[in-house]
Amino acid sequence: MRKFQFLLLASLIAASAPAGAAGGAKDSTLHIATQGKDYVLSVPASRLLLRIPKAGLVLQKEPETTEAHSARHFQFNDEKRGLVVSGWIEPASSYSKFGKMWADEKASWKSQGLPMPQHEKRVRFRHWQGMAYDTALPNGSGSANIRVFWVEGGTWIDIHVSLADKAGDAALHRKLMAFLKTLKVTVR
């Protein structure tokens, strides 16, 4: 049952893309390398590097025909923990103020028939800002989610983390926050 919840959640995440996410030129294609115990994500046109600890995460390949496909999109899954980490590295010009962006995201989800966020709570730490929320999955289970953004030096990093389990569980949100705090953004 938990594996089904995880796969359902991963497919829902792959179906949503931020406004402005689209394929791009060679200098804006996402590069993912491994360095020690981390994945290192970069886009040649950006000065920012994003480090994500591997810790059981497996890079997912998505078909280029999906709506969410972008030359700058990534997704990692950890089936054992039920953790999905996805996001985009986009030009900062594609980002609008947080409130507008969040309202646009929810309108997009609604138009696609995706589950709407519940129990929304604004989060901020270091240079990240975003929203913690829960979603009900079509099979009757739920997921805890946090979506955060980092905008600096002409780059917008958009990260979504989720755990497929009992929605509304504060312990799941604490686990997601603890994971997010392991991410490192550096300027090259």
Side-chain angles (χ1 to χ4, degrees), residues 40-166:
V40 180
L41 289 68
S42 64
V43 173
S46 172
R47 297 180 355 199
L48 299 184
L49 295 174
L50 172 62
R51 290 181 171 277
I52 300 175
K54 287 187 217 173
L57 291 170
V58 176
L59 177 63
Q60 303 300 297
K61 300 287 185 193
E62 64 186 59
E64 293 188 18
T65 56
T66 65
E67 187 175 320
H69 179 73
S70 163
R72 296 169 301 277
H73 178 260
F74 58 89
Q75 181 170 326
F76 300 93
N77 295 351
D78 180 339
E79 286 191 41
K80 184 177 179 184
R81 290 187 286 174
L83 176 66
V84 178
V85 180
S86 66
W88 292 262
I89 299 178
E90 297 288 337
S93 60
S94 298
Y95 180 78
S96 57
K97 297 284 186 200
F98 177 79
K100 178 180 179 345
M101 190 285 316
W102 187 243
D104 290 348
E105 283 297 303
K106 292 194 307 185
S108 173
W109 296 346
K110 185 174 185 177
S111 73
Q112 295 176 58
L114 296 173
M116 295 305 292
Q118 302 168 349
H119 313 114
E120 298 173 47
K121 182 180 177 186
R122 190 84 183 258
V123 296
R124 290 178 187 217
F125 62 98
R126 292 193 301 252
H127 198 74
W128 296 100
Q129 66 171 320
M131 189 70 70
Y133 60 97
D134 297 313
T135 54
L137 297 176
N139 69 351
S141 64
S143 68
N145 302 267
I146 301 179
R147 182 102 178 252
V148 291
F149 312 95
W150 182 301
V151 182
E152 180 182 5
T155 302
W156 164 28
I157 300 174
D158 177 338
I159 303 280
H160 176 219
V161 294
S162 60
L163 283 168
D165 213 331
K166 200 167 99 180

Side-chain angles (χ1 to χ4, degrees), residues 152-184:
E152 180 182 5
T155 302
W156 164 28
I157 300 174
D158 177 338
I159 303 280
H160 176 219
V161 294
S162 60
L163 283 168
D165 213 331
K166 200 167 99 180
D169 186 341
L172 293 179
H173 284 281
R174 285 192 298 275
K175 287 180 184 179
L176 291 173
M177 280 300 292
F179 173 80
L180 284 169
K181 289 179 179 180
T182 67
L183 303 181
K184 293 186 177 37

Side-chain angles (χ1 to χ4, degrees), residues 15-31:
S16 69
K26 189 176 182 180
D27 70 337
S28 65
T29 299
L30 178 68
H31 294 268

